[in-house]
Amino acid sequence: MYSREEKPGSMACAGKSIIGLTVNGQLYKLEIGAEAGKVDPSDTLSFTLRETLGLTGTKESCDSGACGACTVLMEGKAVLSCMLLTVECDGKSIVTIEGLRNPQTGELDILQQAFIDHTAFQCGFCTPGMIMSAKALLNENPSPTEEEVKMALSGNFCRCISHYQVIEAVMDAAKKGR
Amino acid sequence: MSEAYRYIGKATPRIDGEEIVTGKAAFLNDLKFQNLLYGKVLRSPHPHALIKKIDVKKAEQVKGVKAVITHETMPDWKNGNPPIRLLDKKVRFVGDAVALIAAETERIAEEAKKLIEVEYEILPAVLDDYEAMKPGAPQIYENLPGNLLPLGIPNRKWATEIVTGDVNKGFEEADVVVEEAYAYDNIPGPGFPESPAAVALWEEPNTVTVWVSNHKIWRNKHELSVTFGNDVKVRVIGGACGGSYGSKVMSIQVQCYAAALSKATGRPVKVSLSKEEQLSTFVLRPATRLHAKVGMKKDGTVTAIAGSWVLGTGYYSMTTQVQLGVGCGEAMIAVRCKNWDVKPAIVCTNRNASGIVRGFGGQELKCALIPILSHAMEKLSLDPFEVLKKNFVKPGDGYYWRNAEWYDYRGIDYSRAMDEGAKVFGWKDKWKGWLKPTAVKGAKRIGVGVGIHGNADVGEDVSETHVRLDNDGRVVILAGLAEHGTGQRSNVVKVVAEVLQLPLERISISPGDSMVTPFEWGPAGSRGTYAILGAAIAAAEDAKNKLFRLAMPMLGADDPKDLETSDGIIWLKSDPQKRIEWEKVLRFRTVLGYGRFEEDYSLSNCMMSFVELQVDTETGKVDLLRVVNATDVGQVIDPHGLQGQLYGCLGSAGIDSAVFEETIVDPTTGCILNSNLIDYKWRTSAELPVIDNVVLETPIDTHRFHAIGVGEITTSPGPSAVLMAASNAIGQWLHEYPVTPERILKALGKIGRNIQKKEGGR
């Protein structure tokens, strides 16, 4: 689990007392500090999302960048939020699983709907990370081949082996999104 | 068959689907608690030691620390078979719990942990199962000479061996007798993604509520009640469970740590293990070493099986004796043989404990037994597909099950599913004979193999369900189930909707909370489809019958059989114009239906897996190319869920436990060297084999939908098939799992014999 070793005032945030993060379209001004509700310089992005902002849809599993459960989008690209310090993300735009629905209509993203239609999950713990990795892929490559989908999701650990149904779902979403 | 049904056999969305894809599904660490403390565990760096002195003063003085518990202050709670203390004066593996800390934040708890001073007296350790059994080996428990655990379960009749018939006579009747030793002792981990975690709130004097990540909440409640003593009221609440594969039933220790810390502080306490703690201190598959002699006739009849089966359970057992009993029964289901003399033993060592993982004893035994049978088949030039098909239990046969009772098998002949699987796989063309590759392409060789598994735990233990018809025409199912990925909760809703002919949207299911639901043993051993759904169906039928009795006078009926219902309307069959809405029948009342399933071990499921793999004889790398899983489920309930379970054959210490998965214990320090998700190898989506699932639907005599579950067993037939296929590809018998490049190259004589020899294997 997460442990905070550093104290405020380290190099990463030298000279700054507030950072700005845009998460799911909303700007959060976060104070640097060790108290609850603030961002400690040693806080990872996954910690800030889950514990400080309450966005628990992003999962932590290995907490060492090996399993992809914590995948979110930063500037549209998939990143491992357990491997990024929040202070490094100052000024960045982040999208988490909670931000995929259409904010106006509440409609699910095509990928989310495709995951439901194909039951592309079993226990569902790795699913937010899978969907965010797939989202990053479709952002860059709206018409991927099956091989490209497999490669794009190869950093996402799933022990139930939902992969086969995930690939079907992503291919289906790509087709519908065109 | 599905055409006859409104929902059964049809793909319907999982009831938790939207929550899962939007991130709303609340796993244990997503729950919010007021006033929560965080618990951490100080763990032993030694595999075997006595705690001479433990000083917690400095840790207690850290601001924000609320409690520190050691073996001296821990309640005298014990669990396991035999029961052992949760914190003991003696530590028995690297990672054994030494002290518990509760603090305001995780960081404070971690810091305080480092300030606990422990003085150990280091004891000699034993890590090898056979070494542990030898005279003079370090003794892990004072009262367990030879480090051998008692077999069976206290106060219950339980299978402890397979002894029947006359093996000497059987060997005389055989055309060939072989004697071999095989090991399946690479102790892979179940590897669920959500690490073990629990929150406990102890309210004095005697009430404890535990929020768990465990699919078997009532079983969990039972274990905690036994551990705390019956004067403690236990409530267990289970939400979304991020993978288990059976093993999270073993979360009792984590829960007891949280409970002890809560008892000490009066506040809710969460203990959530790290991935490293999970992989190095949570349960692994039991290790198997089998030395056996088998007799076989020219026609593939198995005449006798005799041998010794050693199950390595690490430092502790909660269920290994249970797995032993189930494994013995599963061997009898897979191999029809009149004469058996298989004597098991369970041995303790100074490594992390083994416990429940899909396959539950039978996968372990079969991974060694099928290769030994294969040697006999080779001598007789018999096709393993034909021999395995011939020897799987058939109507009219029987077996001793885990409770040491004999059961006459009343299920179907699964041969048709096996034939269909062989056809889809192309077995007849690909099988070239023993130790012969299917194809050779330069340095690369293709090999094929086949394995089989069946489990009579499809009808294990007890399930109860309440189906409540509310006066608004809606239905609430009270079921003690937490969802762990099989779609069990959705399937309960589905069968109730089918019985009551209601839209799915009108049915809700309670949270998995032992305070509000009736007894439910929980999903295990593929029992969900027969046992859990059986209780739900019975409860729905009972509720419908009671509703009809209320409606009878309103519709002028004499018998509930005169009535029919659909979409919340009841009508008289003989005069469908006479009809009434549920709401009008119920007005200011609810109707409660009750259903109960009682154990039935006279049925077994079955799965045969065919594998095709490629061995690179230059690098030793083995690539799994294709898997065909063949089964008959009687009637598909949930087609997507079923496919998911079948694809699951690879993960959770399944087929890949033969290809590359293993837990590596340093033989000198006892440390697990690959307790992280980089060094513990797992299959990525970049290297998926083709999987074809062949599913037949021959009605099976279970409940009104004639269905039987297969989810638990899908990991089990594959590993021995991989060993067979790799042996065939390279033309050499391989005796150990997994088939690593080193083992392949060693078998091919390309590298020296520098890999430590194990007595169980070769």
Side-chain angles (χ1 to χ4, degrees), chain A residues 1 4-5 7 50 56-57 59 61 66-67 97 101 108 112 115-119 121-125 127 150-151 153-154 157 159-161 163-165 167, chain B residues 14 18 21-23 27 29-30 40 106-107 189-191 193 241-243 245 274-275 484-485 640 644-645 647-648 651-653 661 678 682 684-685 689 691:
Chain A
M1 277 310 296
R4 293 192 244 179
E5 301 290 341
K7 294 278 178 284
R50 288 180 54 83
T56 53
K59 303 302 171 200
S61 178
C67 77
I97 190 75
R101 269 182 197 272
L108 294 177
Q112 291 173 310
F115 269 62
I116 293 176
D117 295 343
H118 291 266
T119 320
F121 45 79
Q122 289 181 40
C123 79
F125 193 84
T127 309
K150 287 182 184 176
M151 288 312 294
L153 297 174
S154 63
F157 176 77
R159 196 67 168 164
C160 302
I161 311 294
H163 311 71
Y164 292 87
Q165 286 148 309
I167 292 161
Chain B
R14 274 260 297 262
E18 186 165 325
V21 303
T22 55
F27 296 88
N29 272 314
D30 303 333
K40 290 282 169 192
E106 288 197 271
R107 177 184 153 206
C241 174
Y245 322 114
S274 69
K275 193 55 64 184
H484 67 311
H640 288 174
Q645 290 298 303
Y647 290 135
S652 56
E661 274 189 34
I678 293 171
W682 46 276
T684 76
S685 58
I691 297 184

Coordinates of all heavy atoms in Angstrom, one line a residue, chain A residues 1 4-5 7 50 56-57 59 61 66-67 97 101 108 112 115-119 121-125 127 150-151 153-154 157 159-161 163-165 167, chain B residues 14 18 21-23 27 29-30 40 106-107 189-191 193 241-243 245 274-275 484-485 640 644-645 647-648 651-653 661 678 682 684-685 689 691:
Chain A
M1 N 0.8 -1.2 0.0 CA 0.0 0.0 0.0 C 0.9 1.2 0.0 O 2.1 1.2 0.1 CB -0.9 0.0 1.2 CG -2.2 -0.8 1.1 SD -3.1 -0.4 -0.4 CE -3.5 1.3 -0.2
R4 N 3.8 7.4 2.6 CA 4.4 8.7 2.3 C 5.7 8.9 3.1 O 5.7 9.0 4.3 CB 3.4 9.8 2.6 CG 2.2 9.8 1.8 CD 1.4 11.1 2.0 NE 0.1 10.8 2.5 CZ -0.7 11.8 2.8 NH1 -0.4 13.0 2.6 NH2 -1.9 11.5 3.3
E5 N 6.8 8.9 2.4 CA 8.1 8.9 3.1 C 8.5 10.4 3.2 O 9.2 10.8 4.1 CB 9.1 8.1 2.3 CG 8.8 6.7 2.1 CD 8.9 5.9 3.4 OE1 9.5 6.4 4.3 OE2 8.3 4.8 3.5
K7 N 8.7 14.6 3.2 CA 8.0 15.7 3.8 C 7.8 16.8 2.8 O 8.6 16.9 1.8 CB 8.9 16.2 5.0 CG 9.0 15.1 6.1 CD 7.8 15.2 7.0 CE 7.8 14.1 8.1 NZ 7.5 12.8 7.6
R50 N -7.8 8.9 -5.7 CA -8.7 8.1 -4.9 C -8.9 8.7 -3.5 O -10.1 8.7 -3.1 CB -8.0 6.7 -4.7 CG -8.0 5.8 -5.9 CD -7.3 4.5 -5.6 NE -7.9 3.8 -4.4 CZ -9.0 3.1 -4.4 NH1 -9.7 2.9 -5.6 NH2 -9.5 2.6 -3.3
T56 N -12.7 6.9 -6.7 CA -12.2 5.5 -6.4 C -12.4 4.6 -7.6 O -12.1 3.4 -7.4 CB -12.9 4.9 -5.1 OG1 -14.3 5.1 -5.3 CG2 -12.4 5.7 -3.9
G57 N -12.9 5.1 -8.7 CA -13.0 4.2 -9.9 C -11.6 3.7 -10.4 O -11.5 2.6 -10.9
K59 N -8.3 2.0 -9.9 CA -7.9 1.0 -8.9 C -6.4 1.0 -8.7 O -5.6 1.2 -9.6 CB -8.4 -0.4 -9.3 CG -9.9 -0.5 -9.5 CD -10.7 -0.1 -8.3 CE -12.1 0.0 -8.6 NZ -12.9 0.8 -7.7
S61 N -3.6 -1.8 -7.7 CA -3.4 -3.2 -7.4 C -2.0 -3.5 -7.0 O -1.7 -3.8 -5.9 CB -3.9 -4.0 -8.6 OG -3.7 -5.4 -8.4
A66 N 3.2 -2.3 -12.6 CA 3.2 -3.6 -13.4 C 1.9 -4.1 -13.9 O 1.9 -4.9 -14.8 CB 3.9 -4.7 -12.5
C67 N 0.8 -3.6 -13.4 CA -0.5 -4.3 -13.7 C -1.5 -3.5 -14.4 O -2.5 -4.0 -14.9 CB -1.1 -4.8 -12.4 SG -1.9 -3.5 -11.4
I97 N -12.0 6.9 -15.2 CA -13.1 6.1 -15.6 C -14.4 6.9 -15.3 O -15.4 6.8 -16.1 CB -13.1 4.8 -14.9 CG1 -14.2 3.8 -15.5 CG2 -13.3 4.9 -13.4 CD1 -13.8 3.3 -16.8
R101 N -18.4 9.0 -19.2 CA -19.8 9.3 -19.5 C -19.9 10.6 -20.2 O -19.2 11.5 -19.8 CB -20.7 9.3 -18.3 CG -21.3 8.1 -17.8 CD -22.1 8.5 -16.6 NE -22.5 7.3 -15.8 CZ -23.6 6.6 -15.9 NH1 -24.4 6.8 -16.9 NH2 -23.8 5.6 -15.1
L108 N -23.4 6.5 -21.5 CA -22.1 5.8 -21.4 C -21.3 6.0 -22.6 O -21.8 6.1 -23.7 CB -22.3 4.3 -21.1 CG -23.0 3.8 -19.8 CD1 -23.2 2.3 -19.8 CD2 -22.2 4.3 -18.6
Q112 N -17.6 1.8 -22.8 CA -18.3 1.3 -21.6 C -19.5 0.4 -22.0 O -19.7 -0.7 -21.4 CB -18.7 2.4 -20.7 CG -17.6 3.2 -20.1 CD -18.0 4.4 -19.3 OE1 -18.8 5.2 -19.9 NE2 -17.6 4.6 -18.1
F115 N -18.3 -2.9 -23.3 CA -17.9 -3.8 -22.2 C -19.1 -4.5 -21.5 O -19.1 -5.7 -21.2 CB -17.1 -3.1 -21.2 CG -15.6 -3.1 -21.4 CD1 -15.1 -2.5 -22.6 CD2 -14.7 -3.7 -20.6 CE1 -13.7 -2.6 -22.9 CE2 -13.3 -3.8 -20.8 CZ -12.8 -3.2 -22.0
I116 N -20.2 -3.7 -21.4 CA -21.4 -4.3 -20.8 C -22.0 -5.4 -21.8 O -22.3 -6.5 -21.4 CB -22.5 -3.3 -20.5 CG1 -22.0 -2.4 -19.3 CG2 -23.8 -3.9 -20.1 CD1 -22.9 -1.2 -19.0
D117 N -22.1 -5.0 -23.1 CA -22.7 -5.8 -24.1 C -22.0 -7.2 -24.2 O -22.6 -8.2 -24.5 CB -22.8 -5.1 -25.4 CG -23.7 -3.9 -25.4 OD1 -24.5 -3.8 -24.5 OD2 -23.6 -3.0 -26.3
H118 N -20.7 -7.1 -24.1 CA -19.9 -8.4 -24.2 C -19.6 -9.0 -22.9 O -18.8 -10.0 -22.9 CB -18.6 -8.1 -25.0 CG -18.9 -7.7 -26.4 ND1 -18.8 -8.6 -27.5 CD2 -19.2 -6.5 -27.0 CE1 -19.1 -8.0 -28.6 NE2 -19.4 -6.7 -28.4
T119 N -20.1 -8.5 -21.8 CA -19.7 -8.9 -20.5 C -18.1 -9.1 -20.5 O -17.6 -10.2 -20.2 CB -20.4 -10.2 -20.0 OG1 -21.7 -10.2 -20.4 CG2 -20.3 -10.4 -18.5
F121 N -15.8 -8.5 -18.6 CA -15.2 -8.5 -17.2 C -15.7 -9.7 -16.5 O -16.7 -10.2 -16.8 CB -15.6 -7.2 -16.5 CG -17.1 -6.8 -16.6 CD1 -18.0 -7.5 -15.9 CD2 -17.5 -5.9 -17.6 CE1 -19.4 -7.2 -16.0 CE2 -18.9 -5.7 -17.7 CZ -19.8 -6.3 -16.9
Q122 N -15.0 -10.0 -15.5 CA -15.5 -11.0 -14.5 C -15.6 -10.3 -13.2 O -16.7 -9.8 -12.8 CB -14.7 -12.3 -14.5 CG -14.8 -13.1 -15.9 CD -14.1 -14.4 -15.9 OE1 -13.9 -15.1 -15.0 NE2 -13.5 -14.6 -17.1
C123 N -14.5 -10.3 -12.4 CA -14.6 -9.6 -11.1 C -14.7 -8.1 -11.3 O -15.2 -7.4 -10.4 CB -13.5 -10.0 -10.2 SG -11.9 -9.2 -10.5
G124 N -14.2 -7.6 -12.4 CA -14.3 -6.2 -12.7 C -13.3 -5.3 -12.0 O -13.3 -4.0 -12.3
F125 N -12.3 -5.8 -11.3 CA -11.4 -5.0 -10.6 C -10.4 -4.3 -11.6 O -10.0 -3.1 -11.5 CB -10.6 -5.8 -9.6 CG -9.8 -4.9 -8.6 CD1 -10.4 -4.4 -7.5 CD2 -8.5 -4.6 -8.8 CE1 -9.7 -3.6 -6.6 CE2 -7.7 -3.8 -8.0 CZ -8.4 -3.3 -6.8
T127 N -11.1 -3.7 -14.7 CA -11.9 -3.2 -15.8 C -11.7 -1.7 -16.1 O -11.5 -1.3 -17.2 CB -13.4 -3.5 -15.6 OG1 -13.5 -4.9 -15.4 CG2 -14.2 -3.2 -16.9
K150 N -4.5 -6.1 -28.8 CA -3.8 -7.0 -27.8 C -2.6 -6.3 -27.3 O -2.2 -6.4 -26.1 CB -3.4 -8.3 -28.5 CG -4.6 -9.3 -28.7 CD -4.1 -10.5 -29.4 CE -5.3 -11.5 -29.7 NZ -4.8 -12.7 -30.4
M151 N -1.9 -5.7 -28.2 CA -0.6 -5.0 -27.8 C -0.9 -3.8 -26.8 O -0.3 -3.6 -25.8 CB 0.2 -4.5 -29.0 CG 0.8 -5.6 -29.8 SD 1.8 -6.8 -28.8 CE 3.1 -5.7 -28.2
L153 N -3.3 -3.5 -24.8 CA -3.8 -3.9 -23.5 C -2.8 -4.9 -22.8 O -3.2 -5.4 -21.7 CB -5.2 -4.6 -23.6 CG -6.3 -3.7 -24.2 CD1 -7.5 -4.6 -24.4 CD2 -6.6 -2.6 -23.2
S154 N -1.7 -5.0 -23.3 CA -0.8 -6.0 -22.8 C -0.2 -5.6 -21.4 O 0.4 -6.5 -20.7 CB 0.4 -6.4 -23.8 OG 1.1 -5.2 -24.0
F157 N -3.1 -6.3 -16.3 CA -3.2 -7.6 -15.7 C -4.7 -8.0 -15.5 O -5.4 -7.2 -14.9 CB -2.5 -7.5 -14.3 CG -2.5 -8.7 -13.5 CD1 -1.7 -9.8 -13.7 CD2 -3.4 -8.7 -12.3 CE1 -1.8 -10.9 -12.9 CE2 -3.4 -9.8 -11.5 CZ -2.6 -10.9 -11.8
R159 N -6.5 -11.5 -14.1 CA -6.3 -12.9 -13.7 C -7.5 -13.8 -13.9 O -7.4 -15.0 -14.0 CB -6.0 -12.9 -12.2 CG -5.4 -14.2 -11.6 CD -4.0 -14.4 -12.2 NE -3.4 -15.5 -11.5 CZ -2.3 -16.1 -11.9 NH1 -1.8 -15.8 -13.1 NH2 -1.7 -17.0 -11.2
C160 N -8.7 -13.1 -14.1 CA -9.9 -13.9 -14.4 C -9.8 -14.3 -15.9 O -10.5 -15.2 -16.3 CB -11.2 -13.1 -14.3 SG -11.5 -12.4 -12.6
I161 N -9.0 -13.7 -16.7 CA -8.9 -13.8 -18.1 C -10.1 -13.3 -18.8 O -10.9 -14.1 -19.5 CB -8.5 -15.3 -18.6 CG1 -7.3 -15.8 -17.8 CG2 -8.2 -15.3 -20.1 CD1 -6.0 -15.1 -18.0
H163 N -9.7 -11.1 -21.1 CA -9.0 -10.5 -22.3 C -9.8 -10.8 -23.6 O -10.0 -9.9 -24.4 CB -7.6 -11.1 -22.5 CG -6.7 -11.0 -21.3 ND1 -6.9 -11.9 -20.2 CD2 -5.7 -10.3 -21.1 CE1 -5.9 -11.6 -19.4 NE2 -5.2 -10.6 -19.9
Y164 N -10.3 -12.1 -23.7 CA -10.9 -12.4 -25.0 C -12.2 -11.6 -25.2 O -12.4 -11.1 -26.3 CB -11.2 -13.9 -25.0 CG -10.0 -14.8 -25.0 CD1 -9.4 -15.2 -23.8 CD2 -9.5 -15.2 -26.2 CE1 -8.2 -15.9 -23.9 CE2 -8.3 -16.0 -26.3 CZ -7.7 -16.4 -25.1 OH -6.5 -17.2 -25.1
Q165 N -12.9 -11.5 -24.2 CA -14.2 -10.7 -24.3 C -13.9 -9.2 -24.3 O -14.6 -8.4 -25.0 CB -15.1 -11.0 -23.2 CG -15.8 -12.4 -23.4 CD -16.1 -13.2 -22.2 OE1 -15.2 -13.4 -21.3 NE2 -17.3 -13.8 -22.0
I167 N -11.2 -7.9 -25.9 CA -10.8 -7.6 -27.3 C -12.1 -7.5 -28.2 O -12.2 -6.6 -29.0 CB -9.9 -8.8 -27.8 CG1 -8.6 -8.6 -27.0 CG2 -9.6 -8.7 -29.3 CD1 -7.7 -9.9 -27.0
Chain B
R14 N -24.9 -8.2 -17.0 CA -24.7 -8.4 -15.6 C -25.3 -7.2 -14.8 O -25.3 -6.1 -15.2 CB -23.2 -8.4 -15.3 CG -22.5 -9.7 -15.5 CD -22.2 -10.4 -14.2 NE -21.3 -9.7 -13.3 CZ -20.0 -9.9 -13.2 NH1 -19.4 -10.8 -13.9 NH2 -19.3 -9.2 -12.4
E18 N -23.0 -1.9 -15.2 CA -22.8 -0.4 -15.3 C -21.9 0.1 -14.2 O -21.1 0.9 -14.4 CB -24.2 0.3 -15.3 CG -24.0 1.8 -15.5 CD -25.3 2.5 -15.9 OE1 -26.2 1.9 -16.6 OE2 -25.5 3.6 -15.5
V21 N -18.2 -0.8 -15.2 CA -17.6 0.0 -16.3 C -17.6 1.5 -16.0 O -16.9 2.2 -16.7 CB -18.3 -0.2 -17.6 CG1 -18.3 -1.7 -18.0 CG2 -19.7 0.4 -17.7
T22 N -18.2 2.0 -15.0 CA -18.2 3.4 -14.6 C -17.3 3.6 -13.4 O -17.1 4.8 -13.0 CB -19.6 4.0 -14.3 OG1 -20.2 3.2 -13.3 CG2 -20.4 4.0 -15.6
G23 N -16.8 2.5 -12.8 CA -15.9 2.7 -11.6 C -16.7 2.9 -10.3 O -16.1 3.1 -9.3
F27 N -15.3 -1.8 -4.2 CA -14.4 -2.9 -3.7 C -14.0 -2.4 -2.2 O -14.3 -1.3 -1.9 CB -13.2 -3.2 -4.5 CG -13.6 -3.7 -5.9 CD1 -13.9 -2.8 -6.9 CD2 -13.7 -5.0 -6.1 CE1 -14.3 -3.3 -8.2 CE2 -14.1 -5.5 -7.4 CZ -14.4 -4.7 -8.4
N29 N -11.4 -1.4 -0.6 CA -10.7 -0.1 -0.4 C -11.4 1.1 -0.9 O -11.0 2.2 -0.8 CB -9.3 -0.2 -1.1 CG -8.3 -0.8 -0.1 OD1 -8.3 -0.4 1.1 ND2 -7.5 -1.8 -0.5
D30 N -12.6 0.9 -1.6 CA -13.4 2.0 -2.1 C -14.4 2.4 -1.1 O -15.0 3.5 -1.2 CB -14.1 1.6 -3.4 CG -13.1 1.2 -4.5 OD1 -11.9 1.6 -4.4 OD2 -13.5 0.4 -5.3
K40 N -1.4 -2.2 10.2 CA -0.3 -2.8 9.4 C 0.2 -3.9 10.2 O 0.1 -4.0 11.4 CB 0.8 -1.7 9.3 CG 0.5 -0.6 8.3 CD 0.6 -1.0 6.9 CE 0.0 0.0 5.9 NZ -0.2 -0.5 4.6
E106 N -1.9 5.4 7.3 CA -1.1 4.2 6.9 C 0.4 4.6 7.1 O 1.1 3.7 7.5 CB -1.3 3.9 5.4 CG -2.7 3.3 5.2 CD -2.7 2.6 3.8 OE1 -3.0 3.3 2.8 OE2 -2.4 1.4 3.7
R107 N 0.7 5.8 6.8 CA 2.1 6.3 6.9 C 2.6 6.2 8.3 O 3.7 5.7 8.6 CB 2.2 7.7 6.4 CG 3.6 8.3 6.5 CD 3.5 9.7 6.0 NE 4.6 10.5 6.7 CZ 4.5 11.8 6.9 NH1 3.4 12.5 6.5 NH2 5.5 12.4 7.5
G189 N 0.6 -18.9 -7.3 CA -0.4 -18.2 -6.5 C -1.6 -17.9 -7.3 O -1.6 -17.8 -8.5
P190 N -2.8 -17.8 -6.6 CA -4.0 -17.5 -7.3 C -4.0 -16.1 -8.0 O -4.6 -15.9 -9.0 CB -5.1 -17.6 -6.2 CG -4.3 -17.5 -4.9 CD -3.0 -18.1 -5.2
G191 N -3.3 -15.2 -7.3 CA -2.9 -13.9 -8.0 C -4.1 -13.0 -8.3 O -4.0 -12.2 -9.2
P193 N -6.4 -9.8 -8.5 CA -5.9 -8.4 -8.5 C -6.2 -7.5 -7.3 O -5.4 -6.7 -7.0 CB -6.7 -7.8 -9.8 CG -7.9 -8.7 -10.0 CD -7.5 -10.0 -9.4
C241 N -16.0 -8.2 -5.0 CA -14.7 -9.0 -4.6 C -13.8 -9.0 -5.8 O -14.2 -9.7 -6.8 CB -15.1 -10.4 -4.1 SG -13.7 -11.4 -3.7
G242 N -12.7 -8.4 -5.7 CA -11.8 -8.3 -6.9 C -11.0 -9.5 -7.1 O -9.7 -9.5 -7.1
G243 N -11.7 -10.6 -7.5 CA -11.0 -11.9 -7.8 C -10.7 -12.6 -6.5 O -10.5 -12.1 -5.4
Y245 N -10.8 -16.8 -6.9 CA -10.5 -18.1 -7.4 C -10.5 -19.1 -6.3 O -9.8 -20.1 -6.3 CB -9.2 -18.1 -8.2 CG -9.1 -16.8 -9.0 CD1 -8.1 -15.8 -8.7 CD2 -10.1 -16.5 -10.0 CE1 -8.1 -14.6 -9.4 CE2 -10.1 -15.3 -10.6 CZ -9.1 -14.3 -10.4 OH -9.1 -13.1 -11.0
S274 N -0.5 -5.2 1.0 CA 0.1 -4.8 -0.3 C 0.2 -6.0 -1.2 O 0.0 -7.2 -0.8 CB 1.5 -4.3 0.0 OG 2.4 -5.4 0.4
K275 N 0.5 -5.7 -2.5 CA 0.7 -6.8 -3.4 C 1.8 -7.8 -3.0 O 1.7 -9.0 -3.1 CB 0.9 -6.2 -4.8 CG 0.8 -7.2 -6.0 CD -0.5 -7.9 -6.0 CE -1.7 -7.0 -6.2 NZ -3.0 -7.8 -6.2
H484 N -18.0 -12.2 -7.2 CA -16.5 -12.3 -7.3 C -16.2 -12.6 -8.8 O -15.0 -12.9 -9.1 CB -16.0 -13.4 -6.4 CG -16.4 -14.8 -6.7 ND1 -17.7 -15.1 -6.9 CD2 -15.7 -15.9 -6.9 CE1 -17.7 -16.4 -7.2 NE2 -16.5 -16.9 -7.2
G485 N -17.1 -12.4 -9.7 CA -16.7 -12.5 -11.1 C -17.5 -13.5 -11.9 O -17.4 -13.5 -13.1
H640 N -22.4 -15.6 -21.8 CA -21.2 -14.8 -21.6 C -20.4 -15.2 -20.4 O -19.2 -15.3 -20.4 CB -21.5 -13.3 -21.6 CG -22.0 -12.7 -22.9 ND1 -22.4 -11.4 -23.0 CD2 -22.1 -13.2 -24.1 CE1 -22.8 -11.2 -24.2 NE2 -22.6 -12.3 -24.9
G644 N -16.6 -16.7 -20.2 CA -15.6 -16.1 -19.3 C -14.9 -17.1 -18.4 O -13.7 -17.2 -18.3
Q645 N -15.7 -18.0 -17.8 CA -15.2 -19.0 -16.9 C -14.3 -19.9 -17.7 O -13.2 -20.4 -17.2 CB -16.3 -19.8 -16.2 CG -17.1 -19.0 -15.2 CD -16.2 -18.5 -14.1 OE1 -15.6 -19.3 -13.4 NE2 -16.1 -17.2 -13.9
Y647 N -12.6 -19.3 -20.5 CA -11.4 -18.6 -20.9 C -10.5 -18.5 -19.7 O -9.2 -18.5 -19.8 CB -11.7 -17.2 -21.4 CG -12.3 -17.1 -22.7 CD1 -13.4 -16.2 -22.9 CD2 -11.9 -17.8 -23.8 CE1 -14.0 -16.1 -24.1 CE2 -12.5 -17.7 -25.0 CZ -13.6 -16.9 -25.2 OH -14.2 -16.8 -26.4
G648 N -11.1 -18.5 -18.5 CA -10.3 -18.4 -17.2 C -9.4 -19.6 -17.0 O -8.7 -19.6 -16.0
G651 N -5.7 -18.5 -16.4 CA -5.2 -17.7 -15.2 C -5.4 -18.5 -13.9 O -5.7 -19.7 -13.9
S652 N -5.3 -17.7 -12.8 CA -5.5 -18.2 -11.5 C -4.9 -19.6 -11.3 O -5.5 -20.5 -10.8 CB -7.0 -18.2 -11.1 OG -7.8 -18.9 -12.0
A653 N -3.6 -19.6 -11.5 CA -2.8 -20.9 -11.3 C -3.4 -22.0 -12.1 O -3.5 -23.2 -11.5 CB -2.7 -21.1 -9.8
E661 N 4.3 -20.3 -14.9 CA 4.1 -19.7 -13.5 C 4.7 -20.5 -12.4 O 4.5 -21.7 -12.4 CB 2.6 -19.7 -13.3 CG 1.9 -18.5 -13.8 CD 0.5 -18.4 -13.3 OE1 0.2 -18.8 -12.1 OE2 -0.4 -17.9 -14.1
I678 N 6.0 -8.1 -11.5 CA 7.0 -8.1 -12.5 C 7.8 -9.5 -12.6 O 7.9 -10.1 -13.6 CB 8.0 -6.9 -12.4 CG1 7.2 -5.6 -12.6 CG2 9.2 -7.0 -13.4 CD1 8.0 -4.4 -12.2
W682 N 3.1 -13.6 -15.5 CA 1.6 -13.8 -15.8 C 1.4 -13.5 -17.3 O 2.2 -12.8 -18.0 CB 0.8 -12.8 -15.0 CG 1.2 -11.4 -14.9 CD1 2.2 -10.9 -14.0 CD2 0.8 -10.3 -15.7 NE1 2.3 -9.6 -14.2 CE2 1.5 -9.1 -15.2 CE3 -0.1 -10.1 -16.7 CZ2 1.3 -7.9 -15.8 CZ3 -0.3 -8.9 -17.3 CH2 0.4 -7.7 -16.8
T684 N 0.1 -12.0 -20.7 CA -0.4 -10.7 -21.1 C -1.3 -11.0 -22.4 O -1.2 -12.0 -23.0 CB 0.7 -9.7 -21.5 OG1 1.3 -10.1 -22.7 CG2 1.8 -9.7 -20.4
S685 N -2.0 -10.0 -22.7 CA -2.9 -10.1 -23.9 C -2.1 -10.2 -25.2 O -2.7 -10.6 -26.2 CB -3.9 -8.9 -23.9 OG -3.2 -7.7 -24.0
P689 N -3.2 -17.5 -26.5 CA -3.5 -18.6 -27.4 C -4.9 -18.5 -28.0 O -5.8 -17.9 -27.4 CB -3.3 -19.9 -26.5 CG -3.7 -19.4 -25.2 CD -3.3 -18.0 -25.1
I691 N -8.4 -19.9 -28.1 CA -9.2 -20.8 -27.2 C -10.6 -21.1 -27.9 O -11.3 -20.1 -28.2 CB -9.5 -20.2 -25.8 CG1 -8.1 -20.0 -25.1 CG2 -10.4 -21.2 -25.0 CD1 -8.3 -19.6 -23.6

